[in-house]
Amino acid sequence: DTAVSQTPKYLVTQMGNDKSIKCEQNLGHDTMYWYKQDSKKFLKIMFSYNNKELIINETVPNRFSPKSPDKAHLNLHINSLELGDSAVYFCASSNGGVVTGELFFGEGSRLTVL
Amino acid sequence: QKEVEQNSGPLSVPEGAIASLNCTYSDRGSQSFFWYRQYSGKSPELIMSIYSNGDKEDGRFTAQLNKASQYVSLLIRDSQPSDSATYLCAVNTGNQFYFGTGTSLTVIP
């Protein structure tokens, strides 16, 4: 079983459209994250959810909205897509509250906005 | 965004040599430090974690941490072509993980 799974792996869409990426983890972790990785490989944190509560939002445009129906799922919805949204989006999870916990990543979802 | 800085490289070393990767961080409250390896088109995978000052060795990999200097490094001994990847330094501050920009390593056979 995949520990952190994301769907879809690839999205190609037009500017102005709305899209969602789903993420599920079966590790029993308390904290889930969304990261954006640009073409230069920089991993930027977007959101962090701990037990379904948003605990950080690093100046991400409000076109991006995370939704967590339960602590095993963290979905990302993006409205009015722009060219600059093209990137790979990684979902990750960790043992929230445990200092020594590591991040486990999903396989990534490559979004291309045309 | 908390600052985590890495030499972006690219870094090239011959097979069998030692590769040295460096990382500095700005937040003195950082508690845990990680090195991730990322192959092209793949997700990052953890290769080393370190939490206290000093060295930590795991096979061909050694992580070094100096909290006073806010510096963490990764040494890869006997480098292999399969080590060619981007190496990402990550710092855990208050259960948030911040990444450096990565160092691209190429091991030349």
Side-chain angles (χ1 to χ4, degrees):
Chain A
D1 269 354
T2 304
V4 183
S5 58
Q6 298 178 228
T7 54
K9 288 189 171 46
Y10 300 95
L11 292 110
V12 180
T13 189
Q14 301 287 331
M15 274 176 48
N17 284 350
D18 303 339
K19 287 294 177 187
S20 292
I21 307 171
K22 295 185 177 181
C23 179
E24 176 182 2
Q25 56 97 2
N26 62 9
L27 297 167
H29 287 165
D30 289 332
T31 308
M32 296 183 71
Y33 308 81
W34 278 108
Y35 282 86
K36 177 182 179 181
Q37 188 170 47
D38 60 25
S39 57
K40 295 183 179 178
K41 296 286 193 177
F42 179 51
L43 266 171
K44 180 179 178 181
I45 187 167
M46 300 177 70
F47 299 103
S48 172
Y49 258 72
N50 180 271
N51 281 326
K52 299 194 293 177
E53 297 298 322
L54 178 67
I55 57 175
I56 191 168
N57 177 341
E58 290 281 337
T59 64
V60 173
N62 58 15
R63 298 183 296 105
F64 291 80
S65 52
K67 297 257 187 324
S68 181
D70 56 59
K71 76 171 192 177
H73 295 84
L74 180 62
N75 303 323
L76 182 65
H77 189 73
I78 315 169
N79 290 326
S80 303
L81 278 156
E82 300 177 357
L83 291 177
D85 298 332
S86 295
V88 180
Y89 292 84
F90 285 101
C91 177
S93 72
S94 73
N95 229 346
V98 176
V99 168
T100 56
E102 66 177 269
L103 270 180
F104 290 82
F105 284 90
E107 293 183 338
S109 297
R110 181 176 292 277
L111 171 65
T112 302
V113 182
L114 303 175
Chain B
Q1 174 110 355
K2 311 289 185 183
E3 287 194 5
V4 180
E5 303 277 349
Q6 291 182 249
N7 293 336
S8 59
L11 175 66
S12 293
V13 299
E15 185 173 354
I18 295 175
S20 177
L21 307 165
N22 303 316
C23 173
T24 58
Y25 59 95
S26 62
D27 190 339
R28 286 194 172 273
S30 301
Q31 299 165 306
S32 315
F33 307 87
F34 306 88
W35 284 98
Y36 283 81
R37 177 176 61 200
Q38 186 175 25
Y39 293 114
S40 181
K42 300 293 186 184
S43 58
E45 56 177 331
L46 181 74
I47 52 171
M48 287 290 285
S49 57
I50 188 166
Y51 311 108
S52 52
N53 281 330
D55 295 359
K56 179 182 177 183
E57 188 174 316
D58 184 0
R60 297 185 296 111
F61 299 96
T62 299
Q64 300 173 316
L65 174 61
N66 183 325
K67 289 186 179 180
S69 300
Q70 294 174 246
Y71 173 90
V72 59
S73 66
L74 180 71
L75 296 177
I76 307 174
R77 289 182 301 282
D78 187 24
S79 295
Q80 301 296 308
S82 59
D83 295 327
S84 298
T86 297
Y87 288 79
L88 300 164
C89 173
V91 172
N92 183 331
T93 302
N95 200 34
Q96 301 304 318
F97 294 80
Y98 297 95
F99 285 81
T101 50
T103 299
S104 175
L105 172 67
T106 301
V107 180
I108 303 165

